[in-house]
Amino acid sequence: MKKIFILLFCLSFGLNYDVKAMESTKITYNKLDGIVYNQKIDGKLKSNTVTMFGMKDRIAYCIEPGVEINEKYYDIYTDWSMVDFSDDVKKLIEKIGYYGYEYPGHQTNYYYIAAQELIWKAVRPDIEVTWTTGKNLTGKVIDISKEKKEILDLVNNSDLLPSFSEESIKDEVGKTIILEDKNNVLEEYNISNSRYHNVVKEGNKLSITLNKQVVPSETLKLTRKYYDDAPLLIYSKGDSQKLAALRISTNKESYISLANEELPEIVEVPNTGFYNVSSVVGTVLVGLGIVFVKIH
């Protein structure tokens, strides 16, 4: 009897957990007039007018080319647990969606279908996709090569760090150092505040004025910034086409180390005509002059 009670409790807890863990939303359709997709998968052609999918307040993409949508309501997941893709494909799809329609300056229908095509090809590299103004490859062909290149360029550069990342910067107290990012991505990163030094981001350069007093070394964090804080969402229901509102789910971070030091103070005094070297007291007599070196 005790074992049966424990089993029922576990089943009940699991069911309650699943219900609380998921939320449902209704799929909505925004027809993109004059744009038709033509998919050829395994030699079979599918063609229809393109719709932009809405899931509550999010824009979504199809992530299973060739699979039909046969549900009105979808369960929402905040990870990839319902999708059987490799980690590399998941990361690529996240980036494509992030730099697609919702990326600043990309709010056109062409950027939406460009991202959709790139997602399909990430999942099914063998798929053939043509965009036309009429069904079944009729009408005019729609050229989105510019939009696809723009998205892919952003995707390919998304893992770049500032060229001075992970460097250790150490120089004289009070000195100003200018670091220029040769990778041209500094604008995409936030820099944590320095406790001791004056650090200013100026376009693609970092201006660092070291403290006038010797201070402990410190590490500044460089964190990739995103255009919003919306989460990755996966929409799944039965055997219906899965959709995704895509964001990059991993944080990109790096750092630089800062330290300052006092340099040896060199003091010149009148000459004496002697030549002597004393390593014990740190005094150097050279030629016609004497140079005292203070070691701090």
Side-chain angles (χ1 to χ4, degrees):
M1 187 69 182
K2 186 176 181 180
K3 290 182 178 179
I4 294 174
F5 175 78
I6 292 173
L7 177 60
L8 289 173
F9 176 79
C10 291
L11 288 173
S12 176
F13 180 81
L15 290 172
N16 288 336
Y17 178 80
D18 287 343
V19 171
K20 291 179 180 178
M22 292 184 292
E23 179 186 356
S24 293
T25 187
K26 184 178 180 180
I27 186 172
T28 60
Y29 303 89
N30 177 23
K31 185 178 178 181
L32 305 186
D33 292 324
I35 303 178
V36 172
Y37 72 84
N38 301 272
Q39 286 183 355
K40 188 174 284 188
I41 302 175
D42 298 328
K44 297 179 181 179
L45 178 66
K46 286 189 175 184
S47 180
N48 209 339
T49 301
V50 176
T51 56
M52 184 183 294
F53 301 105
M55 295 297 212
K56 198 177 287 188
D57 58 346
R58 300 293 299 275
I59 299 296
Y61 296 94
C62 293
I63 58 174
E64 292 183 308
V67 178
E68 299 291 339
I69 293 177
N70 54 33
E71 294 284 352
K72 291 182 178 180
Y73 289 88
Y74 275 80
D75 295 325
I76 305 172
Y77 298 83
T78 56
D79 58 32
W80 288 99
S81 58
M82 299 299 292
V83 182
D84 187 21
F85 293 161
S86 70
D87 288 343
D88 287 343
V89 169
K90 292 173 187 174
K91 290 177 182 177
L92 177 56
I93 289 174
E94 287 182 2
K95 292 173 184 176
I96 293 170
Y98 175 81
Y99 292 113
Y101 176 82
E102 294 171 283
Y103 188 74
H106 286 187
Q107 284 71 52
T108 70
N109 293 341
Y110 282 10
Y111 272 111
Y112 180 78
I113 64 173
Q116 181 63 85
E117 179 181 333
L118 292 171
I119 290 167
W120 282 337
K121 288 185 174 179
V123 178
R124 287 287 302 261
D126 61 329
I127 192 175
E128 296 178 30
V129 182
T130 306
W131 306 92
T132 56
T133 57
K135 291 183 179 180
N136 298 314
L137 297 170
T138 61
K140 295 181 180 179
V141 174
I142 298 172
D143 181 14
I144 56 170
S145 56
K146 170 183 170 293
E147 287 79 8
K148 287 191 292 185
K149 182 181 184 305
E150 169 74 12
I151 293 171
L152 286 177
D153 285 346
L154 290 166
V155 167
N156 293 333
N157 289 332
S158 64
D159 287 334
L160 281 178
L161 295 166
S163 57
F164 46 76
S165 291
E166 301 184 10
E167 286 189 8
S168 295
I169 312 299
K170 188 174 185 179
D171 215 319
E172 184 180 357
V173 292
K175 188 170 182 179
T176 297
I177 304 159
I178 304 296
L179 301 178
E180 183 175 2
D181 175 25
K182 304 300 182 183
N183 291 334
N184 296 306
V185 295
L186 184 59
E187 283 291 330
E188 302 298 323
Y189 283 82
N190 289 320
I191 302 174
S192 61
N193 293 327
S194 172
R195 183 177 179 182
Y196 306 109
H197 311 288
N198 183 30
V199 179
V200 179
K201 186 168 70 170
E202 300 173 337
N204 205 43
K205 296 179 180 179
L206 204 60
S207 175
I208 303 169
T209 300
L210 298 174
N211 199 303
K212 294 181 179 180
Q213 304 295 325
V214 175
V215 293
S217 60
E218 68 173 339
T219 300
L220 300 186
K221 184 184 295 184
L222 304 174
T223 306
R224 186 89 184 200
K225 59 184 180 181
Y226 299 110
Y227 57 79
D228 66 16
D229 57 359
L232 167 79
L233 296 177
I234 305 298
Y235 306 94
S236 178
K237 191 70 173 180
D239 61 356
S240 187
Q241 164 80 236
K242 291 181 176 62
L243 299 101
L246 294 160
R247 290 295 186 271
I248 298 173
S249 61
T250 54
N251 290 327
K252 190 78 176 176
E253 293 184 347
S254 188
Y255 67 90
I256 58 172
S257 297
L258 296 180
N260 64 352
E261 62 181 348
E262 287 186 352
L263 295 183
E265 182 181 351
I266 300 176
V267 180
E268 292 190 8
V269 298
N271 66 59
T272 63
F274 296 101
Y275 179 83
N276 185 28
V277 177
S278 175
S279 59
V280 177
V281 297
T283 304
V284 181
L285 309 178
V286 182
L288 300 177
I290 299 177
V291 179
F292 290 92
V293 181
K294 290 184 179 179
I295 307 298
H296 294 273

